[in-house]
């Protein structure tokens, strides 16, 4: 008889008792020493934050950051910074939910909402995972083409083989996955640190770029890229994933033990996300420094950036470092995509597929559209595909953020760990910014020019530029 571990009994405000835990093969598998020093405990909790941070530096970010830097210079650095702070806040709330209730966000939604709503949220999350996986497939395929000359369509198909690496690592233990992820993040960071030195950006220009301005909202094209950056940074499925993998640590199930777990896990995720901020900002800064003021403002394709980097910088290794970092980024993201897909399907529907089957289904959903677009429209459309995938991600984001902030703010569900008033205000402000920006983008994109002119004229606002 197959006995799966059960979650710690949560508070009675939940409609049903906690059922089977998510990712049961690794749940509570890493013991946290109770009497160790601060640094020893921090080391025990370190890892999940870096798995989550991977999603914040995947190839989808590259497309939006490259487009933003080449077209608008350093202006969108403010968007990169703000979206990263949003991510830090939201991932902290995920930690609180997982540690306090023994549920991940998908399981909490299944308990709280009606069956039709649960299925609706699940479908949206699967779309988000497919969009994210699409970015990883295309990004890895582009890197393989740049480094080894493999055609993009074949590169997309080759990426399906990464399922074997994920399955092998899962059998070895969760620490092996975390170690590989951190190694790949270090590789990406090293490559971009070198690129920043080569590109010699304006320090003053970079500093000014971190100051937000109204043009980000009034310029339709800038808003589109900005929402893509937010979608590429704060990923919906990462919220479900983090609330699950934080439970891989075996901490004391007492109020004091939970409080300590939340503290150390938040330090872990915040540190990891600051690495993500460095990498995303570095991509945009390099793009701005190399392309924006050199007559290459239309550079948005990763392939174009690769070809131009070495000639424009006068450094032969610059393009190769760029491609190596891209390959590391794409492969890194596939690791967390596998885990996120498993958490979402098990949490929302309580359906447990074999990991290899789940991975193949997810990968097929991303490979097929990528191969079709590349085959029909040509390789030049890959960057448009990447940016569009990130806007799709951003559109799904509100549906994950809303229940997260609601659950963590309810004292009946969270007890003493419920969000304080200031945290509620920050959380709901973040959710409203994300939702309103998405609604504005849809309105500006699909409304006839005359309606836009009348609407913005009535409000006394400038009409968005197309």
């Amino acid at each position: 008889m197959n006995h799966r571990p059960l979650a710690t009994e949560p508070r009675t405000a939940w409609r049903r008792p906690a059922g089977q835990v998510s990712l049961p093969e690794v749940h509570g598998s890493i013991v946290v020493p109770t009497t160790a020093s601060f640094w020893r405990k921090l080391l025990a909790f370190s890892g999940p934050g870096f798995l989550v941070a991977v999603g914040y530096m995947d190839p989808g970010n590259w497309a939006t950051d490259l487009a933003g830097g080449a077209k608008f210079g350093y202006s969108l650095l403010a968007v990169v910074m703000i979206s990263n702070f949003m991510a830090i806040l939201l991932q902290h709330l995920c930690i609180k939910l997982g540690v306090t209730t023994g549920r991940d966000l998908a399981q909490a939604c299944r308990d709280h909402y009606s069956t039709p709503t649960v299925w609706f949220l699940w479908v949206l999350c699967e779309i988000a995972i497919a969009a994210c996986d699409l970015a990883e497939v295309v990004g890895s395929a582009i890197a393989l083409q740049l480094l080894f000359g493999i055609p993009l369509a074949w590169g997309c198909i080759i990426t399906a083989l990464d399922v074997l690496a994920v399955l092998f690592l899962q059998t070895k233990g969760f620490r092996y996955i975390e170690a590989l992820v951190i190694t790949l993040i270090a590789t990406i960071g090293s490559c971009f640190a070198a690129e920043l030195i080569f590109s010699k950006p304006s320090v003053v220009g970079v500093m000014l770029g971190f100051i937000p301005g109204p043009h980000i909202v009034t310029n339709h094209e800038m808003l589109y890229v900005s929402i893509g950056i937010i979608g590429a940074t704060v990923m919906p499925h990462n919220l479900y994933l983090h609330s699950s993998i934080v439970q891989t640590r075996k901490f004391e199930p007492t109020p004091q033990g939970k409080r300590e777990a939340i503290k150390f896990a938040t330090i872990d995720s915040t540190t990891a996300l600051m690495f993500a901020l460095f990498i995303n900002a570095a991509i945009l800064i390099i793009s701005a420094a190399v392309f924006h003021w050199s007559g290459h403002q239309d550079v948005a394709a990763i392939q174009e950036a690769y070809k131009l980097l070495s000639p424009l910088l006068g450094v032969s290794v610059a393009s190769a470092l760029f491609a190596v970092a891209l390959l590391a980024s794409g492969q890194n993201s596939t690791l967390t995509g596998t885990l996120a897909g498993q958490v979402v399907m098990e949490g929302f529907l309580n359906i447990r597929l074999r990991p290899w089957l789940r991975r193949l289904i997810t990968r097929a959903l991303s490979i097929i559209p990528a191969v079709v677009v590349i085959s029909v429209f040509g390789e030049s459309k890959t960057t448009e595909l990447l940016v569009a995938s990130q806007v799709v991600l951003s559109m799904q984001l509100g549906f994950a953020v809303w229940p997260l902030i609601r659950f963590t703010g309810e004292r009946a569900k969270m007890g003493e760990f419920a969000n304080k008033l200031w945290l509620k205000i920050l959380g709901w402000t973040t959710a409203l910014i994300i939702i309103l920006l998405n609604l504005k983008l849809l309105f500006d994109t699909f409304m006839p020019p005359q309606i836009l002119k009348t609407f913005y004229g009535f409000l006394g606002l400038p009409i968005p530029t197309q």
Side-chain angles (χ1 to χ4, degrees):
M1 195 172 171
N2 185 21
H3 294 285
R4 290 184 182 273
L6 299 179
T8 305
E9 186 67 21
R11 300 181 183 274
T12 55
W14 299 98
R15 293 194 301 175
R16 292 181 290 267
Q20 293 176 340
V21 298
S22 57
L23 302 179
E25 61 273 18
V26 292
H27 182 85
S29 60
I30 300 171
V31 178
V32 177
T34 55
T35 58
S37 66
F38 173 90
W39 295 107
R40 180 76 184 279
K41 287 184 178 179
L42 181 59
L43 182 63
F45 276 101
S46 296
F50 286 89
L51 263 71
V52 170
V54 161
Y56 295 84
M57 56 183 92
D58 78 335
N61 294 63
W62 290 50
T64 52
D65 292 337
L66 279 173
K71 186 156 288 189
F72 306 113
Y74 302 122
S75 299
L76 295 185
L77 278 172
V79 178
V80 174
M81 179 181 68
I82 291 168
S83 61
N84 201 76
F85 289 153
M86 288 179 176
I88 288 171
L89 170 65
L90 295 173
Q91 298 302 158
H92 168 68
L93 297 182
C94 292
I95 291 166
K96 286 181 69 174
L97 180 69
V99 169
T100 303
T101 69
R103 285 177 165 86
D104 60 52
L105 181 57
Q107 291 171 332
C109 287
R110 190 175 85 234
D111 180 275
H112 183 86
Y113 294 113
S114 65
T115 300
T117 303
V118 167
W119 277 84
F120 174 72
L121 291 173
W122 171 69
V123 169
L124 287 181
C125 196
E126 290 291 355
I127 292 172
I129 290 174
C132 180
D133 216 39
L134 177 65
E136 293 154 10
V137 165
V138 173
S140 295
I142 290 172
L144 290 172
Q145 182 188 57
L146 297 178
L147 289 170
F148 307 111
I150 299 171
L152 275 184
W154 280 106
C156 289
I157 295 169
I158 289 171
T159 60
L161 300 177
D162 63 27
V163 64
L164 300 175
V166 176
L167 295 174
F168 174 74
L169 286 170
Q170 276 186 301
T171 62
K172 291 293 183 181
F174 206 69
R175 275 300 200 191
Y176 283 88
I177 294 179
E178 292 173 350
L180 177 59
V181 163
I182 291 171
T183 301
L184 289 172
I185 288 175
T187 301
I188 300 166
S190 301
C191 290
F192 277 113
E195 299 280 20
L196 277 175
I197 294 170
F198 298 150
S199 61
K200 299 173 184 174
S202 163
V203 176
V204 175
V206 170
M207 298 298 289
L208 291 174
F210 283 108
I211 302 173
H215 52 281
I216 294 172
V217 178
T218 56
N219 185 318
H220 178 74
E221 197 172 6
M222 195 177 282
L223 177 65
Y224 180 80
V225 177
S226 297
I227 291 176
I229 289 173
I230 292 173
T233 305
V234 188
M235 292 196 168
H237 62 281
N238 260 347
L239 304 180
Y240 297 98
L241 176 64
H242 203 179
S243 57
S244 173
I245 60 176
V246 74
Q247 298 177 53
T248 57
R249 270 52 184 174
K250 191 173 183 179
F251 51 84
E252 290 291 318
T254 61
Q256 177 58 29
K258 290 178 179 180
R259 198 172 292 111
E260 192 175 64
I262 292 169
K263 179 181 75 172
F264 285 113
T266 299
I267 295 172
D268 168 51
S269 68
T270 302
T271 303
L273 288 172
M274 292 311 291
F275 273 100
L277 173 61
F278 165 75
I279 289 169
N280 285 325
I283 297 170
L284 193 144
I285 290 168
I286 291 163
S287 178
V290 178
F291 305 130
H292 184 67
W293 289 282
S294 63
H296 297 89
Q297 293 186 4
D298 292 331
V299 170
I302 291 173
Q303 297 95 320
E304 276 185 279
Y306 170 83
K307 290 174 185 174
L308 290 170
L309 266 176
S310 282
L312 289 176
L313 290 173
V315 180
S316 58
V317 77
S319 291
L321 285 174
F322 182 81
V324 169
L326 178 62
L327 184 61
S329 172
Q331 290 308 296
N332 220 354
S333 301
T334 61
L335 296 171
T336 56
T338 300
L339 296 172
Q342 186 178 340
V343 168
V344 166
M345 178 169 279
E346 292 179 359
F348 276 119
L349 308 182
N350 203 24
I351 295 175
R352 296 177 184 269
L353 298 178
R354 292 185 178 276
W356 65 267
L357 180 59
R358 165 72 219 187
R359 186 60 186 155
L360 286 179
I361 292 171
T362 304
R363 187 42 49 108
L365 289 174
S366 55
I367 287 176
I368 292 170
V371 172
V372 168
V373 169
I374 291 166
S375 302
V376 174
F377 298 104
E379 296 184 353
S380 62
K381 294 294 181 182
T382 51
T383 298
E384 291 177 36
L385 197 62
L386 281 175
V387 176
S389 74
Q390 302 312 295
V391 175
V392 169
L393 276 173
S394 189
M395 293 295 176
Q396 318 300 324
L397 189 53
F399 294 98
V401 170
W402 189 279
L404 174 65
I405 297 172
R406 177 176 179 176
F407 297 156
T408 54
E410 288 187 24
R411 190 166 184 83
K413 282 184 166 64
M414 300 287 291
E416 63 182 279
F417 296 98
N419 296 337
K420 301 289 190 292
L421 179 61
W422 67 270
L423 197 52
K424 288 181 182 179
I425 293 171
L426 272 180
W428 286 116
T429 301
T430 298
L432 287 174
I433 289 172
I434 291 167
I435 292 167
L436 289 174
L437 283 177
N438 286 326
L439 289 175
K440 184 184 187 308
L441 177 66
L442 289 172
F443 183 78
D444 293 347
T445 302
F446 295 109
M447 283 293 119
Q450 190 58 43
I451 293 179
L452 290 177
K453 184 177 180 181
T454 304
F455 178 76
Y456 284 104
F458 175 76
L459 295 177
L461 296 173
I463 299 170
T465 54
Q466 297 296 320

